[in-house]
């Protein structure tokens, strides 16, 4: 067999082994044994495949995990950028794993992989290397990931008959349990909406959207819920500029707590925010962590305006809060998280048991993005012992533990 073809096939097998858990979950298949075998096999291959196969593996992993990122560009008026961004993410992760190309030593590759687990290119942190173990028999803590890599790499230097003795280190990586997660002592209704992104911001759809939202709130009241949670930007407007809407939501909040996403314009700045209406008044939580290239440009300031105006139609100009926001709802504290934030460790700091998260996943429909998002939320929820109440447009709503 041609060596190049062999390297490509090895790369495909490696990339598929480390990506299969996402696609299986997307089809509703969660098998811990299968996920364990695939993840262990994928990382073992990564440590031992030829140098050139490393490059192809990085490229294919970038595609398999993040092909969907380019989808959102058509809503920014630059649809031609979609395929370019998809291929670009292949090359980004080719470069991300490039350090492994410079050595054939499995132990050095293991050390490099462990080091890369702390790196987030351009602030994009969805490539969590321990993530393939999130629904497996192994844990996702860094020490467990380190033990797995050591167990797989040390046989390369141990001679027979003890060559595979290092595999005993895998015992230390077994998932012996995460911090206790409990559900909030409230009856919480999570709303899923199905509004296509191309329809979401049309003025003609504003009234039907608001009407649909109030029907959901009324239904939740009739069903006896304490809290109703609606998706990110479910109100597609600057809510602080619509006093009548706020007045009506305040009125309904005397019967049920309403948590909903919208926008805020303040001092000429735009914010992606959550409104919490309770007992006839409301509070606002501004987003803390913005989406790289979606809501801000992670480049030097001299390049930000040009890229924002050229490729994002001026849309990536949101600003952030300075710290996370917590809501007290009927005596229970909830951390607020908007979409990408729910997959960022900054949001899990402090005394935290419950989180309310909201997303608009229609940006990336149809794709695996909601599934990958849910797996990442599970990753953080289990590590930190947090129960997440997630409401999404398109797909992804549910209680995450």
């Amino acid at each position: 067999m041609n060596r190049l073809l062999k390297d490509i096939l090895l790369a495909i097998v490696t990339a598929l082994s480390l990506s299969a858990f996402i696609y299986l979950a997307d089809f509703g298949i969660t098998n811990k044994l299968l996920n364990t075998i695939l993840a262990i096999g994928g990382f073992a291959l990564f440590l031992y495949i030829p140098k050139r196969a490393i490059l192809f593996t990085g490229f294919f992993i970038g595609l398999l995990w993040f092909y969907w990122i380019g989808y959102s560009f058509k809503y920014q008026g630059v649809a031609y950028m979609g395929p370019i961004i998809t291929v670009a993410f292949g090359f980004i992760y080719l470069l991300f794993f490039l350090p492994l190309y410079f050595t054939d030593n499995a132990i050095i590759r293991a050390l490099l992989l462990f080091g890369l687990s702390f790196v987030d290119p351009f602030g994009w942190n969805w490539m969590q290397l321990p993530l393939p173990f999130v629904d497996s028999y192994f844990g996702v803590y860094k020490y467990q990931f380190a033990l797995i890599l050591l167990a797989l790499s040390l046989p390369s230097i141990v001679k027979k008959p003890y060559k595979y003795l290092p595999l005993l280190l895998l015992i230390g990586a077994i998932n012996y349990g995460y911090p206790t997660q409990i559900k909030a002592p409230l009856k919480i209704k999570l709303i899923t909406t199905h509004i296509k992104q191309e329809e979401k911001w049309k003025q003609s759809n504003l009234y039907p959207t608001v009407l649909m939202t109030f029907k959901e709130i009324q239904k939740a009241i009739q069903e006896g819920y304490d809290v109703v949670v609606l998706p990110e930007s479910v109100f597609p407007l600057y809510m602080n500029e619509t006093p009548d809407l706020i007045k009506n939501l305040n009125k309904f909040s005397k019967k049920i707590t309403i948590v909903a996403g919208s926008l805020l314009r303040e001092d000429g700045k735009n914010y992606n925010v959550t409104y919490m209406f309770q007992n006839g008044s409301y509070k606002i939580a501004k987003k803390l962590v913005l989406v790289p290239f979606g809501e801000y440009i992670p480049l030097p300031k001299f390049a930000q305006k040009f890229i924002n105006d050229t490729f994002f139609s001026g849309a990536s100009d949101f600003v952030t809060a300075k710290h996370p926001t917590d809501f007290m709802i009927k005596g229970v504290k909830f951390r607020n998280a908007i979409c990408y934030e729910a997959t960022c460790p900054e949001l899990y700091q402090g005394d935290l048991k419950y989180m309310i998260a909201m997303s608009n996943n229609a940006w990336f429909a149809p794709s695996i993005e909601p599934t990958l998002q849910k797996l990442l939320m599970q990753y953080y929820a289990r590590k930190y012992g947090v129960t997440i109440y997630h409401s999404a447009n398109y797909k992804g709503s549910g209680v995450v533990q």
Side-chain angles (χ1 to χ4, degrees), residues 180-236:
T180 302
Q181 295 167 283
I182 57 175
K183 290 190 176 181
L186 298 172
K187 193 176 179 183
I188 301 173
K189 184 168 187 179
L190 303 171
I191 303 299
T192 299
T193 55
H194 300 278
I195 304 171
K196 294 181 179 179
Q197 191 60 30
E198 59 265 32
E199 301 292 329
K200 188 170 182 63
W201 299 94
K202 289 182 179 178
Q203 189 65 29
S204 59
N205 291 331
L206 180 57
Y207 178 75
T209 298
V210 173
L211 183 63
M212 174 272 296
T213 303
F214 274 97
K215 286 182 178 179
E216 291 288 355
I217 293 169
Q218 289 175 309
K219 186 178 179 181
I221 292 171
Q222 293 167 0
E223 293 171 345
Y225 283 90
D226 299 303
V227 186
V228 58
V229 183
L230 297 122
E232 177 186 11
S233 63
V234 69
F235 292 103

Side-chain angles (χ1 to χ4, degrees), residues 17 20-22 24-25 28-41 130-140 144 148 173-178 181 375 378 382 401:
S17 297
F21 75 104
I22 305 171
L24 290 170
I29 301 171
T30 301
N31 185 297
K32 286 188 175 183
L33 179 60
L34 181 59
N35 285 344
T36 301
I37 292 170
L38 288 169
I40 289 292
L131 190 63
F133 296 105
V134 72
D135 272 321
S136 77
Y137 288 113
F138 293 111
V140 297
Q144 291 168 318
I148 289 168
I174 291 173
N175 176 20
Y176 295 102
Y178 297 112
Q181 295 167 283
L375 291 167
Q378 287 177 339
R382 292 171 183 178
Q401 288 185 303

Side-chain angles (χ1 to χ4, degrees), residues 66-86 89 124 197-198 201 291-296 311-313 315-316 339 360-367 369:
F66 303 123
Y67 71 89
W68 46 268
I69 290 180
Y71 286 13
S72 65
F73 281 71
K74 64 182 177 182
Y75 306 116
Q76 307 284 5
V78 284
Y80 67 90
M81 288 292 295
I84 297 172
I85 294 300
T86 296
F89 264 81
W124 176 249
Q197 191 60 30
E198 59 265 32
W201 299 94
V291 182
F293 291 105
E295 293 174 320
Y296 85 104
F311 300 114
F312 293 92
S313 305
S316 295
C339 197
N360 175 22
N361 290 328
W363 285 101
F364 309 106
S367 76
E369 182 271 340

Side-chain angles (χ1 to χ4, degrees), residues 257-276:
T257 299
I258 304 163
V259 184
S262 189
L263 300 178
L264 171 72
R265 186 149 44 207
E266 187 177 74
D267 300 325
K269 297 177 181 178
N270 300 322
Y271 295 88
N272 188 355
V273 300
T274 299
Y275 283 79
M276 191 273 286

Side-chain angles (χ1 to χ4, degrees), residues 75 95 130 137 142 156 174 176 201 214 224 229 253 301 305-307 322 333 337 343 366 397:
Y75 306 116
L95 295 174
Y137 288 113
K142 287 294 174 70
S156 66
I174 291 173
Y176 295 102
W201 299 94
F214 274 97
V229 183
S253 76
K301 287 189 178 296
K305 187 177 188 307
F306 171 77
I307 292 176
K322 297 186 183 303
K333 185 172 75 171
T343 62
S397 297

Side-chain angles (χ1 to χ4, degrees), residues 47-60:
L47 297 176
Y48 293 98
I49 58 177
K51 288 183 176 182
R52 186 166 53 182
I54 291 288
L55 304 181
F56 291 116
T57 300
F59 182 81
F60 291 137

Side-chain angles (χ1 to χ4, degrees), residues 102-156:
F102 296 102
T103 180
D104 285 318
N105 187 297
I107 294 176
I108 296 177
R109 284 189 182 181
L111 292 172
L112 290 170
L113 274 174
F114 185 69
L116 288 173
S117 71
F118 294 90
V119 177
D120 301 327
F122 299 108
W124 176 249
N125 71 338
W126 277 26
M127 176 57 72
Q128 292 297 324
L129 290 179
L131 190 63
F133 296 105
V134 72
D135 272 321
S136 77
Y137 288 113
F138 293 111
V140 297
Y141 291 110
K142 287 294 174 70
Y143 82 87
Q144 291 168 318
F145 186 54
L147 285 173
I148 289 168
L149 293 175
L150 280 174
L152 297 175
S153 61
L154 286 176
S156 66

